[in-house]
Amino acid sequence: MTITRLHAGPRMSQAVIHGSTIYLAGQVADQAKGKSVGDQTKEILAAIERLLGEAGSDKTKILSTTIYLADIGTFAEMNAVWDAWVPAGHAPARATVEAKLAAPAYTVEIACIAAKS
C-alpha cells in the first residue's frame, strides 16, 4: 500500500496518508501562540480543516482526536470552541489530557486520525 507524506520535514510530517486513513501530527497555534486557549483552539481547528482538505477528507470524517491541554482547568474554554466546530452527528472518539507542551506559549495541541472521503 502507498504511503503519502504531506509537509514532510526532517523530524515529522504534518499528515501521513496510508490507504484510506489520514494521520495528522499534533497541531499547535503559531499565530495565536501566547494567546487564549480559545484563540489557539480556533487556529488549530482551522489548520486541521486545511490539512484534511489537502489530504482528501474533511472534519466529518475524523475518527479519533487527542487533545493536549497545558492546564486541564481550561477544558471548558477549549470545549466551547470545539463544540461549535464539530458538525452535529460527526463527533469523533476523543481523549483530552493535561500535558506539558513543547513551549510555554502553547496551551493546546490537537492530533487527529481521519478517513479519506
Side-chain angles (χ1 to χ4, degrees):
M1 219 179 262
T2 303
I3 297 173
T4 304
R5 299 173 198 286
L6 304 179
H7 307 286
R11 181 173 294 145
M12 60 184 259
S13 298
Q14 290 300 313
V16 175
I17 305 163
H18 179 252
S20 61
T21 305
I22 303 163
Y23 302 87
L24 296 187
Q27 300 297 304
V28 294
D30 288 324
Q31 300 301 313
K33 181 167 69 174
K35 294 185 180 177
S36 73
V37 166
D39 287 341
Q40 289 192 33
T41 303
K42 286 177 192 172
E43 182 182 331
I44 292 165
L45 295 176
I48 288 170
E49 282 194 72
R50 279 191 306 276
L51 282 168
L52 288 175
E54 193 175 338
S57 190
D58 64 64
K59 65 184 177 178
T60 66
K61 306 286 189 300
I62 297 174
L63 305 171
S64 177
T65 301
T66 303
I67 301 172
Y68 304 93
L69 296 173
D71 177 3
I72 200 70
T74 61
F75 186 71
E77 182 181 355
M78 178 277 301
N79 269 334
V81 177
W82 172 267
D83 291 345
W85 180 78
V86 173
H90 296 281
R94 192 184 101 172
T96 305
V97 298
E98 182 178 71
K100 187 172 183 176
L101 301 180
Y106 294 126
T107 57
V108 183
E109 183 171 341
I110 302 176
C112 298
I113 300 170
K116 283 191 79 164
S117 295

